[in-house]
Amino acid sequence: MRGAEQGVLILGGGLAGLSTAYHLEGMRPAVLLEREDRLGGLTRSFRVNGFIFDITGHLLHLRRPRVRALIDQLLPHQWASVERRSFIYSHGVYVDYPFQANLHGLPREVVRDCLTAFVEAHADPARPAAEDLALGSFHHWAEAMFGRGIAAEFMLPYNRKLWCRDLRDVTADWVSWAVPRPKLEEVVGGALGIKNKGLGYNPTFRYPVGGGIEVLPNALAQALSGTQVHCRTEVVGIDPESRKVATAQGRQWHWDDLVTTLPLSLLARLVKGLPDKLRKSAAGLQATRVLNVNLGIDRPEVTDRHWIYYPEGRFVFYRVGSPSSFCKASVPAGCSSLYVEVARLDFTREDVPGLVRRIKEDLVTCGLLRSSDRIVAEQIMEVDPAYVIYDEHRRSVVPELLAWLARHGIHSIGRYGRWEYGSMEDAIHQGMETAAALSAGQDSRGTSAGHNNEEPTCHTNPESASPTS
Ligand SMILES: Cc1cc2nc3c(=O)[nH]c(=O)nc-3n(C[C@H](O)[C@H](O)[C@H](O)COP(=O)(O)OP(=O)(O)OC[C@H]3O[C@@H](n4cnc5c(N)ncnc54)[C@H](O)[C@@H]3O)c2cc1C
């Protein structure tokens, strides 16, 4: 390879960056820069005292045949296909997910109020079409779509915990795939106890039979032979005019095409020449942070539920999942594990040790833990950014920013590069599409497929990469 000038520079080694590099193999030479000491981004897994933890839960929901085929090809026979067992805990009982289609079991007055309001909302001749509702606030969307009962019992309190904002200021343009919209007969049936199986985007999911979700980025990384990979390399400046990226380690990298998966809010601070107005607007992009507490417990089967939503304010967390319930190989024999998620806009003023104590108390209150349980592994991580906030500001700024970057030869992709509520599949797919577009454009540059002689300067984590069954 004659240098990175002739190739594609990829910023960030999460799934979007890795997928871009993987799909450029044999087409364009590439260099990938990653700030952390190993690849994987949000899909890294961690071994703590014999337990394998992901960043909260990372389960694959595959809708695109191309991504499904890629995953099978990368890791044949290494996936378990699991039928979802997810629930909502409310009024002291568990109801199946999604709440709106499974009201049976809640106090009868609650069922009556939810059902009456759903029927009224459904029959309201003035109710706007779903596409129009999606343009308004989440608060309005939830009440118009499900009625005030379901909104008040689940949609609003749960989403307030998740988004940490007044839901009148959160737009509803992310809901189309994420929130199931059952028909009237499904809601009535669910209230009577008739099971509504398979509603929503994730009735079954895939998960590695061992090794945690990190086996996926590792498989992509191990297939890279024509890409130089540099970990512990933090990008601190991007100059579109000279086509150079500067790193905190004092190196400069030239690019012919630049693909970045860095958060858009950060990117706007790093790119030279971005108009002040756009830079200021980008500073207003908001995201929640998530405190992820992973616990290993010295007792088998603390729950067989995969994950549980907690809309009620008496619980500090909005969701708790159990990796051991969908992957026995992720815990030592006789043990089980939980992941807990608490969202905030900022944790800087939070008493985090106090919050962790409260989490454990609440886990006992809701019955997942017993006060006699021994916690034998514990990992606390702050995910920042975690969920980008959909509001009017995001709606106007993101397209403008992406358009400016594209005009300057910068392709911003991935969950935070697009500043969206994206899945692992979306990140992989965007990498595929970006690589295809860049490969199609390569003729005009006459770039040869580059295979460099330089050894990659970082490797995947062999410990957490090795499947345990
Ligand atoms: C709490 C949570 C739970 C989730 N659960 C699921 C799930 O169950 N199923 C699902 O499909 N999806 C899930 N997702 C979404 C999924 O994790 C993402 O869509 C996907 O991993 C995004 O990949 P990415 O490459 O776009 O971003 P990232 O994984 O964030 O990769 C970006 C990379 O850029 C690097 N980077 C950042 N700044 C710099 C810099 N200055 N210089 C160099 N490198 C830098 C980062 O270290 C990181 O490695 C979840 C997300 C969160 C937050």
Side-chain angles (χ1 to χ4, degrees):
M1 182 162 141
R2 279 181 289 144
E5 299 95 318
Q6 297 301 312
V8 180
L9 188 59
I10 302 166
L11 310 183
L15 285 182
L18 284 169
S19 170
T20 307
Y22 177 89
H23 291 96
L24 283 171
E25 285 280 306
M27 310 295 285
R28 299 277 301 272
V31 171
L32 188 153
L33 309 181
E34 166 57 49
R35 180 185 59 191
E36 301 297 326
D37 61 0
R38 66 190 162 107
L39 299 168
L42 283 170
T43 53
R44 283 169 296 158
S45 303
F46 304 83
R47 243 176 227 270
V48 184
N49 211 13
F51 291 78
I52 299 175
F53 294 126
D54 295 334
I55 296 177
T56 74
H58 266 83
L59 316 173
L60 266 173
H61 313 294
L62 300 173
R63 290 168 288 175
R64 298 176 176 93
R66 274 180 72 204
V67 180
R68 204 175 295 136
L70 170 70
I71 281 176
D72 285 332
Q73 181 200 321
L74 285 169
L75 292 160
H77 315 299
Q78 290 190 53
W79 297 101
S81 182
V82 186
E83 201 171 318
R84 173 189 75 204
R85 287 200 300 271
S86 64
F87 296 82
I88 294 97
Y89 187 72
S90 180
H91 295 278
V93 292
Y94 288 101
V95 295
D96 282 340
Y97 171 88
F99 183 87
Q100 54 272 32
N102 294 293
L103 299 170
H104 187 68
L106 289 165
R108 283 189 299 182
E109 296 74 17
V110 173
V111 179
R112 177 199 58 204
D113 293 349
C114 288
L115 211 48
T116 314
F118 183 87
V119 173
E120 279 167 5
H122 203 80
D124 182 359
R127 181 166 83 160
E131 312 80 73
D132 297 333
L133 276 176
L135 296 174
S137 78
F138 180 81
H139 190 111
H140 182 225
W141 180 87
E143 288 193 338
M145 198 53 81
F146 301 111
R148 293 194 169 191
I150 290 172
E153 287 292 336
F154 178 71
M155 289 291 163
L156 300 179
Y158 175 75
N159 281 286
R160 239 178 255 126
K161 273 183 164 180
L162 179 68
W163 300 105
C164 307
R165 281 272 297 267
D166 185 333
L167 297 171
R168 289 184 180 81
D169 299 330
V170 173
T171 52
D173 37 4
W174 54 274
V175 297
S176 60
W177 64 268
V179 184
R181 281 177 277 156
K183 300 191 209 73
L184 177 60
E185 59 267 33
E186 290 169 327
V187 174
V188 173
L192 292 169
I194 300 168
K195 290 274 179 214
N196 280 306
K197 285 229 161 242
L199 276 177
Y201 67 93
N202 52 5
T204 57
F205 59 85
R206 295 241 212 142
Y207 192 76
V209 290
I213 196 63
E214 189 172 302
V215 299
L216 176 57
N218 283 351
L220 282 167
Q222 278 153 15
L224 301 180
S225 57
T227 305
Q228 285 182 40
V229 178
H230 297 271
C231 288
R232 296 182 207 91
T233 303
E234 184 181 358
V235 174
V236 292
I238 300 169
D239 184 353
E241 206 173 316
S242 62
R243 300 197 160 216
K244 278 185 190 160
V245 156
T247 68
Q249 290 66 30
R251 264 187 93 167
Q252 292 213 333
W253 297 88
H254 297 262
W255 81 78
D256 197 31
D257 281 299
L258 184 68
V259 178
T260 160
T261 66
L262 271 42
L264 206 46
S265 51
L266 168 67
L267 192 63
R269 295 204 297 274
L270 301 185
V271 174
K272 223 171 139 185
L274 188 72
D276 272 354
K277 188 173 149 277
L278 262 183
R279 198 182 305 279
K280 279 192 193 126
S281 300
L285 289 173
Q286 279 200 317
T288 65
R289 299 170 185 209
V290 164
L291 187 76
N292 170 206
V293 178
N294 290 322
L295 300 173
I297 301 117
D298 188 12
R299 171 163 66 95
E301 300 223 9
V302 289
T303 179
D304 64 353
R305 296 181 167 97
H306 298 149
W307 70 91
I308 303 156
Y309 300 93
Y310 291 86
E312 293 173 326
R314 65 187 174 121
F315 299 113
V316 69
F317 34 73
Y318 63 87
R319 188 167 52 189
V320 179
S322 174
S324 52
S325 71
F326 50 80
C327 181
K328 291 252 179 307
S330 65
V331 296
C335 294
S336 37
S337 58
L338 295 174
Y339 65 81
V340 181
E341 299 172 79
V342 176
R344 297 279 188 267
L345 289 179
D346 195 353
F347 281 98
T348 47
R349 291 204 192 139
E350 190 95 25
D351 164 19
V352 172
L355 187 56
V356 174
R357 276 196 301 279
R358 167 80 195 274
I359 286 171
K360 290 177 186 165
E361 284 162 17
D362 285 2
L363 286 172
V364 173
T365 306
C366 72
L368 278 179
L369 283 187
R370 297 177 190 153
S371 33
S372 57
D373 275 334
R374 241 166 35 96
I375 291 171
V376 290
E378 182 165 328
Q379 186 196 26
I380 300 167
M381 287 183 281
E382 192 182 319
V383 186
D384 173 27
Y387 288 86
V388 310
I389 294 179
Y390 281 68
D391 56 13
E392 292 295 345
H393 185 67
R394 176 198 175 278
R395 191 183 281 163
S396 63
V397 174
V398 169
E400 227 185 309
L401 260 173
L402 292 177
W404 189 95
L405 293 167
R407 280 200 303 281
H408 291 79
I410 300 174
H411 308 266
S412 184
I413 65 163
R415 179 172 167 112
Y416 304 110
R418 293 267 169 88
W419 205 254
E420 65 188 14
Y421 185 1
S423 64
M424 291 187 277
E425 185 191 41
D426 295 329
I428 293 170
H429 185 250
Q430 288 172 16
M432 270 178 183
E433 298 273 293
T434 306
L438 294 178
S439 302
Q442 84 151 352
D443 286 352
S444 59
R445 270 178 285 264
T447 312
S448 61
H451 286 265
N452 63 81
N453 298 320
E454 211 174 313
E455 278 296 306
T457 60
C458 77
H459 297 277
T460 48
N461 176 356
E463 196 194 29
S464 58
S466 53
T468 53
S469 73

